[in-house]
Amino acid sequence: MDKFVDERDFKLLDQDRYTFFVLRRILGGPCKLILSDHERVIICFSKEPFPVWIWTPDDATDKDMAAAYDVISENGLLDGNHNYNIKYKLAEYFINRAKEEGKELSIRQNMYAYDCPKSVEPREKASGELHKCTQDDFEELVDLIDGFHNAVGIDIMDRAAYEQNAEKCIEDRRTFFWQDKGITTACCKYVPNGDMASISLVYTKPECRRKHYAENLVYTVTELARAEGYLPMLYTDADYVASNACYEKIGYIRRGELCTVG
């Protein structure tokens, strides 16, 4: 396998432009490991604590899946400390193969990928308004990023890492709060890549939930991304029914599925 990707790999990823949207973005930055045969398997690991992304085609054979598993093992990523974002067919292979070797893997999270070709304005209006994050919001943004990661239970880091994340969010000027009477209730951001933009960091403070803040915030940020010419998309926890219903109410359409195995 080569330790680089090129136009052949991005053409392959076009087959799964929704489910592997984030992988396309990660491949454009610094990574600890990139491996590809440019035909059947693409492996990318950015850094801890983020998951390893493994792309295989829908018609992946046992040979393809064995190759992916073997490469992961040979590179020390099957040590019990890493997670993998993969398709369900590959997940089943990884879980069964690990079991044969006396290791334990399981699905940690089921995910849906959505896009929003046309937004639907929320029926329930939330009190408050949109606020673009600035340096004055730094500490509060760090707190919200911390709250988000603890709530979803993945990619958990220390506060210093969240501070770096917050600095980047403020610098990019695409991170927002929803504020009600000056009180921040929720946060959200969007990150462009190609012709799409990923809506992420959707988090509502526990004491502010069930007041439609997130629904109105995501709708508004979705429209901002669309106004820049991007097709908005997002990932959700497939098992979080209420959240998925919220996104669907404002026009998001499910386009794909994948899972995190660890």
Side-chain angles (χ1 to χ4, degrees):
M1 283 193 175
D2 291 331
K3 296 182 178 181
F4 63 85
V5 293
D6 56 29
E7 67 277 359
R8 292 172 292 176
D9 301 280
F10 291 106
K11 187 175 181 179
L12 291 172
L13 292 178
D14 284 342
Q15 300 173 28
D16 296 288
R17 68 191 301 254
Y18 297 103
T19 48
F20 284 84
F21 171 87
V22 167
L23 176 56
R24 290 185 64 99
R25 177 170 57 81
I26 294 171
L27 286 169
C31 297
K32 293 186 68 172
L33 178 69
I34 294 177
L35 293 168
S36 175
D37 66 0
H38 313 295
E39 292 181 357
R40 308 291 291 177
V41 180
I42 303 171
I43 295 171
C44 176
F45 177 47
S46 56
K47 62 180 181 179
E48 288 83 1
F50 300 111
V52 181
W53 284 83
I54 308 172
W55 177 87
T56 48
D58 288 342
D59 64 349
T61 64
D62 284 348
K63 182 180 178 180
D64 296 328
M65 295 186 288
Y69 186 96
D70 290 341
V71 169
I72 289 296
S73 181
E74 291 164 5
N75 283 273
L77 297 173
L78 200 64
D79 57 0
N81 297 317
H82 294 85
N83 299 319
Y84 322 98
N85 284 345
I86 54 183
K87 294 179 180 178
Y88 281 92
K89 185 177 181 179
L90 185 60
E92 183 178 5
Y93 180 91
F94 265 50
I95 291 168
N96 291 335
R97 174 86 177 269
K99 186 176 181 180
E100 292 173 0
E101 298 177 0
K103 302 182 180 77
E104 183 177 351
L105 290 177
S106 61
I107 293 176
R108 295 194 60 198
Q109 186 178 41
N110 298 292
M111 292 184 286
Y112 290 151
Y114 286 82
D115 78 347
C116 187
K118 183 178 181 180
S119 300
V120 177
E121 192 171 354
R123 292 183 179 181
E124 301 288 345
K125 301 298 182 182
S127 175
E129 59 188 1
L130 189 73
H131 169 79
K132 181 182 287 188
C133 291
T134 69
Q135 197 62 43
D136 291 341
D137 304 304
F138 176 76
E139 290 297 336
E140 188 165 30
L141 179 56
V142 175
D143 290 340
L144 288 170
I145 293 172
D146 187 4
F148 168 80
H149 284 287
N150 280 298
V152 299
I154 58 174
D155 302 343
I156 295 176
M157 298 176 281
D158 59 22
R159 190 169 181 86
Y162 295 147
E163 288 174 348
Q164 291 183 354
N165 193 339
E167 288 285 6
K168 182 68 165 56
C169 287
I170 291 169
E171 178 184 328
D172 289 345
R173 298 181 58 79
R174 291 190 175 99
T175 301
F176 303 86
F177 290 160
W178 190 269
Q179 294 187 330
D180 189 1
K181 298 181 177 63
I183 303 298
T184 297
T185 63
C187 63
C188 177
K189 71 175 183 179
Y190 68 98
V191 179
N193 184 31
D195 63 347
M196 301 175 72
S198 174
I199 310 296
S200 59
L201 194 62
V202 180
Y203 177 71
T204 304
K205 292 179 178 179
E207 67 273 17
C208 299
R209 292 171 185 169
R210 298 181 180 83
K211 297 180 181 178
H212 307 287
Y213 292 129
E215 182 179 346
N216 282 261
L217 173 59
V218 172
Y219 167 78
T220 307
V221 172
T222 294
E223 288 299 277
L224 290 176
R226 194 189 313 285
E228 282 197 58
Y230 301 112
L231 173 64
M233 66 83 60
L234 52 78
Y235 293 103
T236 71
D237 181 340
D239 299 318
Y240 194 178
V241 177
S243 176
N244 295 329
C246 169
Y247 296 132
E248 290 168 5
K249 283 194 298 184
I250 58 175
Y252 278 86
I253 299 172
R254 195 169 87 195
R255 302 295 191 185
E257 303 173 355
L258 71 161
C259 60
T260 301
V261 171

